[in-house]
Amino acid sequence: MNATTINWIVLATLACWCWVDGFVTTAFVLTTLVSVEAAWKPFIRSRLAVKLFGSDTMADILGQQKSATSRH
């Protein structure tokens, strides 16, 4: 597991704890954040994303993500 995965697991656990403990607003925000992140990664590589944003835009987004996360 890398640090990003661990961070999202921590956020999901914190969201569950907030729901149980009654912090509804915080729990809702954390749940929304985790859900959007979970849905974003498959979406960015989908055909629908290419149709909506165009192949050039998606190539730029994916290229920027790779360069931003690569270590030199």
Side-chain angles (χ1 to χ4, degrees), residues 1-14 30 33-34:
M1 266 198 263
N2 61 20
T4 304
T5 304
I6 293 169
N7 288 341
W8 287 110
I9 290 171
V10 169
L11 283 177
T13 304
L14 185 59
L30 287 171
L33 179 68
V34 171

Side-chain angles (χ1 to χ4, degrees), residues 55-67:
S55 58
D56 292 337
T57 303
M58 294 311 296
D60 287 343
I61 290 171
L62 292 172
Q64 288 175 355
Q65 283 186 342
K66 287 179 185 174
S67 65

Side-chain angles (χ1 to χ4, degrees), residues 36-47 49:
V36 167
E37 176 65 19
W40 176 252
K41 289 188 181 193
F43 170 75
I44 199 167
R45 302 193 190 291
S46 70
R47 291 182 187 171

Side-chain angles (χ1 to χ4, degrees), residues 17-29:
W17 176 78
C18 286
W19 281 115
V20 170
D21 217 29
F23 297 106
V24 178
T25 304
T26 305
F28 179 76
V29 170

